[in-house]
Amino acid sequence: MKTSKKFLLQECDIPTQWYNILADMPNQPAPLLNPGTREPLKPEEMEGLFAKALVEQEFSTERFIDIPDEVRQLYKAYRPTPLVRAYALEKALGTPSKIFFKNESVSPVGSHKMNTAIAQAYYNAEQGIKLLTTETGAGQWGSAMSAACRHFGLELMVFMVKNSYNAKPYRKHVIHTYGGKVAASPSNLTDYGKKLLAEDPENQGSLGIAISEAVEMAVKSGNARYTLGSVLNHVLLHQTIIGLEAEKQMEMAGEYPDKVIACFGGGSNFGGVSFPFLRRVLNGERKLTAIAAEPAACPKLTTGKLEYDFGDTAGMTPLIPMYTLGHDFQPEQIHAAGLRYHGGGRIVSQLKKDGFIESCAIDQDETFRAGILFARTEGIIPAPESTHAIAATIREALKAKESGKGEVLLFNLSGHGFLDMGAYEKYV
Amino acid sequence: MKTSKKFLLQECDIPTQWYNILADMPNQPAPLLNPGTREPLKPEEMEGLFAKALVEQEFSTERFIDIPDEVRQLYKAYRPTPLVRAYALEKALGTPSKIFFKNESVSPVGSHKMNTAIAQAYYNAEQGIKLLTTETGAGQWGSAMSAACRHFGLELMVFMVKNSYNAKPYRKHVIHTYGGKVAASPSNLTDYGKKLLAEDPENQGSLGIAISEAVEMAVKSGNARYTLGSVLNHVLLHQTIIGLEAEKQMEMAGEYPDKVIACFGGGSNFGGVSFPFLRRVLNGERKLTAIAAEPAACPKLTTGKLEYDFGDTAGMTPLIPMYTLGHDFQPEQIHAAGLRYHGGGRIVSQLKKDGFIESCAIDQDETFRAGILFARTEGIIPAPESTHAIAATIREALKAKESGKGEVLLFNLSGHGFLDMGAYEKYV
């Protein structure tokens, strides 16, 4: 019997720098624009919304950016995460391909979101900020920020998409247990929320609306800043710790991926796992395909348009040049709430335009079938978001079976599904 | 900042043998009795209920028992588990004591139960058994058996205490996702269940009742066996993998525990972490105190009597010499459903009688306060069961603070609490 095999690094192998793919891109993405003047946004214009160090990272084109020692120490609570050769899944599929996954579900909050939550809380605390605001869809990001804020003594206000708030009560309990506050969005805590509730008291919310509320509260509160769990350059930067570790682990395994696959919401776990590998492509050292697995209900990279759009629904954020379904797009209520975002962010969108990234759109039934097969072979119940990466990997593995030509596939298991068991029950 | 520090072993460090404490006990426990004849039970009388290899282990007095290679391979999916120095918790308590915990929550099902589930499924599959039955209280054991049975191609029927079945729906979804079947106990699937439901359709069940149903179904079904998640010698044997790893890791840390602490339901995680350390005590090499942390609602070691009692409510199992609250004792509905068992098992009870084990009883409020403090310092939300070990550890750490004499404390974090967030919400 060939059971799954882990490739493990030591704590001393945790990278000391994050990787900034902007340094290697042949074409830089168009700039963010000030929503009022439509002029390129200056760093100082973002500093009322984000910690100064994070704004610097957002605009940086340095190839490698040092991870502060305190952040790296906290990473040691769960990093390095395992890379796993999924022999049992391979066998169940009868594929000649070799399947590897990076297991980010082992973080204390159950997802990769911890990687940037720690960094964002750290920089805000360093600057003396007292209150952070944020949004959350599935609740993974809110949970991670709540744990991180507790560590640094920061207050946290999470606007949670109302549909998730009601459908996933355990997630808000997790946020509370770590000490964060959480409100169903749209809420009565902001002018924008009040306006929406006045129009429709049953408004179920969206990530875009929750962002608008969190931004409004950060701007109107004293000594507060907003934090975002995906989309922006600095968030993807922090997540490259995933791919940097995975590179070393693939080397341990004696393999290099032909395809790197991740689910795609705002791009943070996708960019995190794929950018260090794409660096070799941009440098001409290697060939590989990076595949973003989107939900059919919200396929911005697959069917969206590349244009300037707002990051939120109310139009309060800078304008972002990205593949988008429109900032007022309301995706249907799929279980993978973390993927219900309308836009693809600057870097990923430019890479997609330039042909370095592919995408596919997968419907919910297929993703849950993939998640159940993964649970029954590899033993881990994946988050609904992560099942998209698994489903896309299975598609590739079955293609290889047909062609008889095996490939090396690497996907990112962004989180576990323990808090989404209600969704699974409907599919078993 | 001193963040928590992990002590990590390599896969090659996973023990190759389990430790059987019976080999080192000065007084052997009294034998199991046949419930009909009241004569000492013979191994062959147990073989209709349990796989032959497990019965052999139940009666074995060999000091070390080889772990089958296939079981050890499967352990590699999550083992070795980390040992963690809990600096953040120490700091929050202001204690001079050093606190370590063994983190068994990292298994794919979220608890230590996987350690024996894999072994039990393996031996049953080796014997050609097709159907396994079992009971579950909190659902941790049922989840672990469901994952293990899926791996070995075994069918599984889980009788889940009705109160937990309704209060913790996500746990049954987990069992389903891995492919196991689950019924609320008492159920209409057994004569005993039918009898209880006829007497009281609202019967909320207990571990003892669920065991009776699982035993009845195993005995009446063809090619089926029963499996138990705790209490019996062979179950505690498998769990010693926890303490054997922890011994090596404490050596890496350059420390030896003065006190080893675990929550106590049927004794499996307690025996698992403490027996390898108690071996040194029984041999006269070391001194240390092993503390069983019981719920005040079900304190069999603390206030029970040492006498022969049944393992189940209906009186179908062999008679076990153990500290017990009586096999018809109905503990109140605490959240730590995995600790709602009436008896302490043979080995632990004998060790308690001989003065090698201490116990304490802790009420639910204190355990949840401990759990929330742990989540907010160490970042991991513990299972309600595990919060008992944390609360007992905090008591010891605060005693040391008063006396000014620091100790080395080691506790077992038996599982995470992601599926018990409803319970936390009431305490935050």
Side-chain angles (χ1 to χ4, degrees), chain A residues 108 174 177-178, chain B residues 89 101 103 105 110-111 140 168 171 263 335-336 367-391 394 411-421 423-424:
Chain A
V174 172
T177 298
Y178 286 119
Chain B
L89 177 61
F101 65 92
N103 186 0
S105 77
S111 84
Q140 299 266 27
K168 304 187 179 198
R171 272 287 169 203
C263 64
H335 294 295
T367 68
F368 272 94
R369 281 199 304 274
I372 291 165
L373 178 63
F374 187 74
R376 292 182 177 183
T377 50
E378 297 301 319
I380 303 167
I381 299 176
E385 291 78 10
S386 313
T387 61
H388 289 72
I390 299 168
I394 291 173
F411 75 87
N412 191 42
L413 183 70
S414 55
H416 67 60
F418 277 127
L419 296 175
D420 299 279
M421 292 314 305
Y424 272 92

Tab-separated table of all heavy atoms in Angstrom, chain A residues 108 174 177-178, chain B residues 89 101 103 105 110-111 140 168 171 263 335-336 367-391 394 411-421 423-424:
chain	number	residue	atom	x	y	z
A	108	PRO	N	-3.697	27.200	12.789
A	108	PRO	CA	-4.645	27.096	13.914
A	108	PRO	C	-6.059	27.527	13.561
A	108	PRO	O	-7.007	27.045	14.151
A	108	PRO	CB	-4.066	28.033	14.975
A	108	PRO	CG	-2.696	28.374	14.557
A	108	PRO	CD	-2.548	28.052	13.111
A	174	VAL	N	-16.045	31.399	16.232
A	174	VAL	CA	-14.574	31.361	16.232
A	174	VAL	C	-14.022	32.779	16.379
A	174	VAL	O	-13.132	33.032	17.196
A	174	VAL	CB	-14.031	30.711	14.944
A	174	VAL	CG1	-12.512	30.865	14.864
A	174	VAL	CG2	-14.416	29.232	14.879
A	177	THR	N	-14.480	33.836	19.874
A	177	THR	CA	-13.634	33.128	20.834
A	177	THR	C	-12.245	33.756	20.903
A	177	THR	O	-11.647	33.855	21.974
A	177	THR	CB	-13.564	31.625	20.482
A	177	THR	OG1	-14.889	31.094	20.567
A	177	THR	CG2	-12.658	30.857	21.438
A	178	TYR	N	-11.751	34.211	19.748
A	178	TYR	CA	-10.444	34.882	19.752
A	178	TYR	C	-10.544	36.325	20.259
A	178	TYR	O	-9.535	36.967	20.489
A	178	TYR	CB	-9.832	34.864	18.357
A	178	TYR	CG	-9.305	33.513	17.934
A	178	TYR	CD1	-9.812	32.850	16.827
A	178	TYR	CD2	-8.277	32.895	18.647
A	178	TYR	CE1	-9.310	31.619	16.432
A	178	TYR	CE2	-7.788	31.665	18.266
A	178	TYR	CZ	-8.302	31.028	17.163
A	178	TYR	OH	-7.811	29.809	16.782
B	89	LEU	N	0.880	31.187	27.033
B	89	LEU	CA	0.008	30.830	28.158
B	89	LEU	C	0.739	31.061	29.483
B	89	LEU	O	0.169	31.618	30.427
B	89	LEU	CB	-0.436	29.367	28.037
B	89	LEU	CG	-1.306	28.823	29.175
B	89	LEU	CD1	-2.616	29.599	29.305
B	89	LEU	CD2	-1.607	27.330	28.973
B	101	PHE	N	2.652	21.296	25.805
B	101	PHE	CA	1.516	20.441	25.438
B	101	PHE	C	1.836	19.652	24.176
B	101	PHE	O	2.567	20.119	23.298
B	101	PHE	CB	0.199	21.224	25.284
B	101	PHE	CG	0.153	22.230	24.174
B	101	PHE	CD1	-0.321	21.887	22.905
B	101	PHE	CD2	0.549	23.544	24.385
B	101	PHE	CE1	-0.387	22.821	21.892
B	101	PHE	CE2	0.500	24.494	23.362
B	101	PHE	CZ	0.027	24.136	22.122
B	103	ASN	N	0.353	18.204	20.888
B	103	ASN	CA	-0.787	18.641	20.076
B	103	ASN	C	-1.338	17.522	19.186
B	103	ASN	O	-0.940	17.364	18.034
B	103	ASN	CB	-0.391	19.852	19.238
B	103	ASN	CG	-1.575	20.435	18.490
B	103	ASN	OD1	-2.696	19.933	18.597
B	103	ASN	ND2	-1.345	21.484	17.742
B	105	SER	N	-4.361	17.512	18.169
B	105	SER	CA	-5.477	18.062	17.384
B	105	SER	C	-5.137	18.148	15.902
B	105	SER	O	-6.004	18.427	15.079
B	105	SER	CB	-5.858	19.453	17.898
B	105	SER	OG	-4.937	20.436	17.456
B	110	GLY	N	-9.033	15.628	13.712
B	110	GLY	CA	-8.979	16.636	14.771
B	110	GLY	C	-8.770	16.119	16.171
B	110	GLY	O	-8.916	16.886	17.125
B	111	SER	N	-8.437	14.842	16.356
B	111	SER	CA	-8.189	14.342	17.707
B	111	SER	C	-7.277	13.135	17.702
B	111	SER	O	-6.981	12.555	16.642
B	111	SER	CB	-9.496	13.971	18.407
B	111	SER	OG	-9.885	12.659	18.035
B	140	GLN	N	-15.954	12.477	18.146
B	140	GLN	CA	-14.536	12.390	17.738
B	140	GLN	C	-14.192	10.953	17.350
B	140	GLN	O	-13.524	10.701	16.353
B	140	GLN	CB	-13.616	12.833	18.893
B	140	GLN	CG	-13.828	14.264	19.351
B	140	GLN	CD	-12.898	15.269	18.674
B	140	GLN	OE1	-12.448	15.039	17.572
B	140	GLN	NE2	-12.660	16.390	19.334
B	168	LYS	N	-24.651	18.353	18.101
B	168	LYS	CA	-23.433	18.510	17.289
B	168	LYS	C	-23.630	17.922	15.894
B	168	LYS	O	-22.979	16.944	15.521
B	168	LYS	CB	-22.263	17.805	17.990
B	168	LYS	CG	-22.032	18.294	19.404
B	168	LYS	CD	-20.774	17.705	20.016
B	168	LYS	CE	-20.603	18.277	21.416
B	168	LYS	NZ	-19.262	18.136	21.951
B	171	ARG	N	-20.727	16.837	13.480
B	171	ARG	CA	-19.972	15.601	13.678
B	171	ARG	C	-20.552	14.452	12.874
B	171	ARG	O	-19.834	13.645	12.326
B	171	ARG	CB	-19.963	15.250	15.173
B	171	ARG	CG	-18.844	15.868	15.919
B	171	ARG	CD	-17.510	15.181	15.597
B	171	ARG	NE	-16.410	15.964	16.121
B	171	ARG	CZ	-15.167	15.895	15.665
B	171	ARG	NH1	-14.858	15.097	14.670
B	171	ARG	NH2	-14.223	16.628	16.192
B	263	CYS	N	-7.188	15.034	30.093
B	263	CYS	CA	-8.589	14.872	30.448
B	263	CYS	C	-8.892	13.381	30.515
B	263	CYS	O	-8.166	12.554	29.952
B	263	CYS	CB	-9.511	15.583	29.453
B	263	CYS	SG	-9.476	14.943	27.768
B	335	HIS	N	-20.963	19.823	27.687
B	335	HIS	CA	-20.490	19.898	26.296
B	335	HIS	C	-19.394	18.871	26.008
B	335	HIS	O	-19.226	18.435	24.877
B	335	HIS	CB	-19.988	21.305	25.983
B	335	HIS	CG	-21.070	22.331	26.021
B	335	HIS	ND1	-22.122	22.335	25.126
B	335	HIS	CD2	-21.292	23.373	26.866
B	335	HIS	CE1	-22.930	23.335	25.411
B	335	HIS	NE2	-22.453	23.991	26.459
B	336	ALA	N	-18.620	18.511	27.042
B	336	ALA	CA	-17.549	17.530	26.848
B	336	ALA	C	-18.158	16.134	26.838
B	336	ALA	O	-17.956	15.323	27.748
B	336	ALA	CB	-16.506	17.660	27.961
B	367	THR	N	-13.637	25.028	32.925
B	367	THR	CA	-12.972	24.454	31.745
B	367	THR	C	-13.106	25.374	30.532
B	367	THR	O	-12.161	25.533	29.772
B	367	THR	CB	-13.524	23.051	31.387
B	367	THR	OG1	-14.865	23.149	30.922
B	367	THR	CG2	-13.439	22.112	32.572
B	368	PHE	N	-14.269	25.997	30.354
B	368	PHE	CA	-14.405	26.886	29.196
B	368	PHE	C	-13.608	28.175	29.372
B	368	PHE	O	-13.053	28.701	28.394
B	368	PHE	CB	-15.880	27.170	28.877
B	368	PHE	CG	-16.448	26.129	27.952
B	368	PHE	CD1	-17.120	25.022	28.457
B	368	PHE	CD2	-16.273	26.225	26.581
B	368	PHE	CE1	-17.609	24.042	27.619
B	368	PHE	CE2	-16.764	25.243	25.729
B	368	PHE	CZ	-17.441	24.151	26.244
B	369	ARG	N	-13.506	28.668	30.607
B	369	ARG	CA	-12.621	29.828	30.823
B	369	ARG	C	-11.202	29.462	30.417
B	369	ARG	O	-10.498	30.240	29.770
B	369	ARG	CB	-12.657	30.261	32.301
B	369	ARG	CG	-13.879	31.085	32.679
B	369	ARG	CD	-13.661	31.860	33.982
B	369	ARG	NE	-13.293	31.015	35.107
B	369	ARG	CZ	-14.161	30.377	35.907
B	369	ARG	NH1	-15.458	30.494	35.696
B	369	ARG	NH2	-13.735	29.643	36.911
B	370	ALA	N	-10.789	28.262	30.776
B	370	ALA	CA	-9.446	27.793	30.425
B	370	ALA	C	-9.300	27.669	28.909
B	370	ALA	O	-8.274	28.055	28.332
B	370	ALA	CB	-9.164	26.453	31.099
B	371	GLY	N	-10.327	27.139	28.264
B	371	GLY	CA	-10.286	26.956	26.812
B	371	GLY	C	-10.174	28.275	26.068
B	371	GLY	O	-9.428	28.402	25.095
B	372	ILE	N	-10.911	29.275	26.541
B	372	ILE	CA	-10.883	30.587	25.879
B	372	ILE	C	-9.520	31.257	26.110
B	372	ILE	O	-8.941	31.839	25.183
B	372	ILE	CB	-12.059	31.467	26.375
B	372	ILE	CG1	-13.371	30.880	25.846
B	372	ILE	CG2	-11.891	32.911	25.927
B	372	ILE	CD1	-14.620	31.417	26.521
B	373	LEU	N	-8.986	31.137	27.316
B	373	LEU	CA	-7.648	31.694	27.571
B	373	LEU	C	-6.610	31.012	26.671
B	373	LEU	O	-5.722	31.676	26.108
B	373	LEU	CB	-7.256	31.515	29.051
B	373	LEU	CG	-5.849	32.021	29.396
B	373	LEU	CD1	-5.725	33.529	29.170
B	373	LEU	CD2	-5.480	31.666	30.843
B	374	PHE	N	-6.743	29.711	26.519
B	374	PHE	CA	-5.794	28.970	25.678
B	374	PHE	C	-5.895	29.437	24.220
B	374	PHE	O	-4.886	29.671	23.550
B	374	PHE	CB	-6.073	27.466	25.784
B	374	PHE	CG	-5.062	26.609	25.083
B	374	PHE	CD1	-3.795	26.427	25.620
B	374	PHE	CD2	-5.358	25.989	23.881
B	374	PHE	CE1	-2.849	25.629	24.971
B	374	PHE	CE2	-4.419	25.189	23.221
B	374	PHE	CZ	-3.164	25.015	23.776
B	375	ALA	N	-7.136	29.586	23.728
B	375	ALA	CA	-7.334	30.051	22.349
B	375	ALA	C	-6.715	31.434	22.155
B	375	ALA	O	-6.107	31.721	21.127
B	375	ALA	CB	-8.819	30.085	22.008
B	376	ARG	N	-6.854	32.278	23.165
B	376	ARG	CA	-6.398	33.667	23.020
B	376	ARG	C	-4.898	33.826	23.280
B	376	ARG	O	-4.352	34.900	23.043
B	376	ARG	CB	-7.219	34.567	23.947
B	376	ARG	CG	-8.660	34.657	23.492
B	376	ARG	CD	-9.517	35.563	24.341
B	376	ARG	NE	-10.865	35.641	23.770
B	376	ARG	CZ	-11.836	36.414	24.255
B	376	ARG	NH1	-11.609	37.170	25.323
B	376	ARG	NH2	-13.021	36.417	23.677
B	377	THR	N	-4.266	32.793	23.793
B	377	THR	CA	-2.815	32.860	23.991
B	377	THR	C	-2.096	31.973	22.976
B	377	THR	O	-1.269	32.446	22.215
B	377	THR	CB	-2.428	32.437	25.422
B	377	THR	OG1	-3.059	31.194	25.734
B	377	THR	CG2	-2.867	33.490	26.426
B	378	GLU	N	-2.464	30.703	22.947
B	378	GLU	CA	-1.757	29.762	22.069
B	378	GLU	C	-2.361	29.661	20.677
B	378	GLU	O	-1.791	29.016	19.791
B	378	GLU	CB	-1.693	28.382	22.723
B	378	GLU	CG	-0.887	28.373	24.033
B	378	GLU	CD	0.551	28.820	23.839
B	378	GLU	OE1	1.157	28.423	22.829
B	378	GLU	OE2	1.068	29.580	24.672
B	379	GLY	N	-3.530	30.279	20.475
B	379	GLY	CA	-4.093	30.371	19.129
B	379	GLY	C	-4.918	29.184	18.672
B	379	GLY	O	-5.470	29.206	17.585
B	380	ILE	N	-5.007	28.140	19.486
B	380	ILE	CA	-5.751	26.938	19.092
B	380	ILE	C	-7.009	26.828	19.946
B	380	ILE	O	-6.932	26.936	21.177
B	380	ILE	CB	-4.884	25.667	19.302
B	380	ILE	CG1	-3.579	25.772	18.527
B	380	ILE	CG2	-5.665	24.411	18.902
B	380	ILE	CD1	-2.544	24.725	18.935
B	381	ILE	N	-8.155	26.598	19.303
B	381	ILE	CA	-9.401	26.416	20.050
B	381	ILE	C	-9.512	24.937	20.422
B	381	ILE	O	-9.639	24.081	19.557
B	381	ILE	CB	-10.614	26.869	19.211
B	381	ILE	CG1	-10.478	28.365	18.882
B	381	ILE	CG2	-11.918	26.588	19.962
B	381	ILE	CD1	-11.576	28.907	17.981
B	382	PRO	N	-9.452	24.631	21.722
B	382	PRO	CA	-9.434	23.222	22.136
B	382	PRO	C	-10.825	22.596	22.179
B	382	PRO	O	-11.826	23.289	22.365
B	382	PRO	CB	-8.845	23.281	23.545
B	382	PRO	CG	-9.104	24.665	24.041
B	382	PRO	CD	-9.315	25.566	22.853
B	383	ALA	N	-10.882	21.275	22.020
B	383	ALA	CA	-12.136	20.549	22.210
B	383	ALA	C	-12.598	20.717	23.658
B	383	ALA	O	-11.776	20.868	24.561
B	383	ALA	CB	-11.930	19.072	21.891
B	384	PRO	N	-13.914	20.680	23.905
B	384	PRO	CA	-14.406	20.806	25.290
B	384	PRO	C	-13.764	19.769	26.217
B	384	PRO	O	-13.513	20.063	27.392
B	384	PRO	CB	-15.909	20.575	25.142
B	384	PRO	CG	-16.226	20.975	23.739
B	384	PRO	CD	-15.021	20.598	22.930
B	385	GLU	N	-13.510	18.570	25.705
B	385	GLU	CA	-12.833	17.557	26.517
B	385	GLU	C	-11.447	18.052	26.935
B	385	GLU	O	-11.070	18.023	28.111
B	385	GLU	CB	-12.707	16.236	25.743
B	385	GLU	CG	-14.031	15.502	25.496
B	385	GLU	CD	-14.852	16.098	24.363
B	385	GLU	OE1	-14.326	16.954	23.631
B	385	GLU	OE2	-16.036	15.721	24.216
B	386	SER	N	-10.705	18.536	25.937
B	386	SER	CA	-9.325	18.960	26.188
B	386	SER	C	-9.243	20.146	27.147
B	386	SER	O	-8.222	20.334	27.816
B	386	SER	CB	-8.645	19.329	24.872
B	386	SER	OG	-8.874	18.345	23.876
B	387	THR	N	-10.295	20.950	27.202
B	387	THR	CA	-10.249	22.107	28.109
B	387	THR	C	-10.114	21.657	29.567
B	387	THR	O	-9.642	22.424	30.400
B	387	THR	CB	-11.514	22.994	27.997
B	387	THR	OG1	-12.668	22.224	28.352
B	387	THR	CG2	-11.683	23.560	26.597
B	388	HIS	N	-10.503	20.427	29.868
B	388	HIS	CA	-10.330	19.922	31.238
B	388	HIS	C	-8.852	19.778	31.571
B	388	HIS	O	-8.426	20.079	32.690
B	388	HIS	CB	-11.058	18.583	31.407
B	388	HIS	CG	-12.555	18.722	31.411
B	388	HIS	ND1	-13.272	19.008	30.268
B	388	HIS	CD2	-13.464	18.639	32.417
B	388	HIS	CE1	-14.563	19.094	30.578
B	388	HIS	NE2	-14.710	18.871	31.875
B	389	ALA	N	-8.076	19.292	30.615
B	389	ALA	CA	-6.627	19.160	30.835
B	389	ALA	C	-5.993	20.542	30.997
B	389	ALA	O	-5.116	20.746	31.842
B	389	ALA	CB	-5.985	18.416	29.668
B	390	ILE	N	-6.474	21.486	30.189
B	390	ILE	CA	-5.926	22.845	30.261
B	390	ILE	C	-6.265	23.475	31.611
B	390	ILE	O	-5.415	24.087	32.257
B	390	ILE	CB	-6.464	23.708	29.100
B	390	ILE	CG1	-6.025	23.093	27.758
B	390	ILE	CG2	-5.986	25.143	29.221
B	390	ILE	CD1	-6.718	23.685	26.543
B	391	ALA	N	-7.518	23.295	32.048
B	391	ALA	CA	-7.934	23.869	33.339
B	391	ALA	C	-7.112	23.275	34.484
B	391	ALA	O	-6.691	23.990	35.403
B	391	ALA	CB	-9.429	23.628	33.567
B	394	ILE	N	-3.695	24.796	34.376
B	394	ILE	CA	-3.715	26.173	34.891
B	394	ILE	C	-3.754	26.166	36.423
B	394	ILE	O	-3.052	26.938	37.074
B	394	ILE	CB	-4.908	26.960	34.286
B	394	ILE	CG1	-4.652	27.198	32.783
B	394	ILE	CG2	-5.148	28.259	35.021
B	394	ILE	CD1	-5.814	27.823	32.029
B	411	PHE	N	0.771	18.689	29.276
B	411	PHE	CA	-0.600	18.175	29.106
B	411	PHE	C	-0.827	17.768	27.668
B	411	PHE	O	-0.091	18.181	26.759
B	411	PHE	CB	-1.656	19.176	29.582
B	411	PHE	CG	-1.903	20.352	28.691
B	411	PHE	CD1	-2.821	20.286	27.646
B	411	PHE	CD2	-1.247	21.553	28.907
B	411	PHE	CE1	-3.057	21.380	26.827
B	411	PHE	CE2	-1.475	22.661	28.090
B	411	PHE	CZ	-2.383	22.572	27.056
B	412	ASN	N	-1.828	16.917	27.500
B	412	ASN	CA	-2.174	16.454	26.163
B	412	ASN	C	-3.353	17.251	25.620
B	412	ASN	O	-4.417	17.276	26.238
B	412	ASN	CB	-2.536	14.963	26.181
B	412	ASN	CG	-2.645	14.401	24.780
B	412	ASN	OD1	-1.818	14.712	23.930
B	412	ASN	ND2	-3.650	13.581	24.536
B	413	LEU	N	-3.131	17.929	24.484
B	413	LEU	CA	-4.236	18.597	23.794
B	413	LEU	C	-4.866	17.538	22.884
B	413	LEU	O	-4.417	17.311	21.769
B	413	LEU	CB	-3.724	19.780	22.969
B	413	LEU	CG	-4.825	20.582	22.264
B	413	LEU	CD1	-5.657	21.365	23.266
B	413	LEU	CD2	-4.245	21.507	21.203
B	414	SER	N	-5.918	16.887	23.385
B	414	SER	CA	-6.431	15.697	22.696
B	414	SER	C	-7.149	16.026	21.395
B	414	SER	O	-7.202	15.201	20.489
B	414	SER	CB	-7.356	14.908	23.619
B	414	SER	OG	-8.393	15.732	24.113
B	415	GLY	N	-7.694	17.250	21.272
B	415	GLY	CA	-8.403	17.574	20.036
B	415	GLY	C	-8.743	19.047	19.926
B	415	GLY	O	-8.652	19.793	20.912
B	416	HIS	N	-9.136	19.481	18.718
B	416	HIS	CA	-9.563	20.871	18.547
B	416	HIS	C	-11.072	20.992	18.657
B	416	HIS	O	-11.790	19.992	18.615
B	416	HIS	CB	-9.031	21.475	17.249
B	416	HIS	CG	-9.589	20.885	15.989
B	416	HIS	ND1	-10.922	20.890	15.677
B	416	HIS	CD2	-8.978	20.266	14.947
B	416	HIS	CE1	-11.114	20.337	14.511
B	416	HIS	NE2	-9.948	19.916	14.040
B	417	GLY	N	-11.538	22.227	18.799
B	417	GLY	CA	-12.945	22.463	19.096
B	417	GLY	C	-13.745	23.045	17.954
B	417	GLY	O	-14.838	23.575	18.180
B	418	PHE	N	-13.248	22.930	16.709
B	418	PHE	CA	-13.964	23.550	15.587
B	418	PHE	C	-15.402	23.062	15.451
B	418	PHE	O	-16.252	23.782	14.945
B	418	PHE	CB	-13.223	23.292	14.269
B	418	PHE	CG	-12.094	24.247	14.009
B	418	PHE	CD1	-10.825	23.777	13.711
B	418	PHE	CD2	-12.297	25.608	14.066
B	418	PHE	CE1	-9.780	24.664	13.458
B	418	PHE	CE2	-11.258	26.508	13.823
B	418	PHE	CZ	-10.001	26.021	13.518
B	419	LEU	N	-15.658	21.833	15.894
B	419	LEU	CA	-17.019	21.322	15.755
B	419	LEU	C	-17.836	21.537	17.024
B	419	LEU	O	-18.925	21.009	17.170
B	419	LEU	CB	-16.971	19.845	15.348
B	419	LEU	CG	-16.328	19.650	13.966
B	419	LEU	CD1	-16.183	18.192	13.624
B	419	LEU	CD2	-17.131	20.364	12.902
B	420	ASP	N	-17.300	22.312	17.946
B	420	ASP	CA	-17.990	22.591	19.209
B	420	ASP	C	-18.140	24.078	19.442
B	420	ASP	O	-18.210	24.530	20.579
B	420	ASP	CB	-17.191	21.965	20.358
B	420	ASP	CG	-17.066	20.463	20.212
B	420	ASP	OD1	-18.015	19.761	20.573
B	420	ASP	OD2	-16.034	20.002	19.709
B	421	MET	N	-18.172	24.842	18.348
B	421	MET	CA	-18.179	26.295	18.521
B	421	MET	C	-19.471	26.792	19.163
B	421	MET	O	-19.478	27.832	19.817
B	421	MET	CB	-17.943	26.987	17.172
B	421	MET	CG	-16.544	26.773	16.603
B	421	MET	SD	-15.170	26.984	17.790
B	421	MET	CE	-15.484	28.639	18.414
B	423	ALA	N	-20.878	25.576	21.696
B	423	ALA	CA	-20.629	25.557	23.139
B	423	ALA	C	-19.815	26.779	23.558
B	423	ALA	O	-20.108	27.425	24.576
B	423	ALA	CB	-19.894	24.275	23.515
B	424	TYR	N	-18.811	27.115	22.766
B	424	TYR	CA	-17.974	28.276	23.097
B	424	TYR	C	-18.784	29.563	23.129
B	424	TYR	O	-18.579	30.430	23.973
B	424	TYR	CB	-16.821	28.412	22.099
B	424	TYR	CG	-15.610	27.624	22.526
B	424	TYR	CD1	-15.407	26.320	22.104
B	424	TYR	CD2	-14.675	28.184	23.393
B	424	TYR	CE1	-14.309	25.593	22.512
B	424	TYR	CE2	-13.565	27.463	23.807
B	424	TYR	CZ	-13.389	26.165	23.364
B	424	TYR	OH	-12.309	25.452	23.783
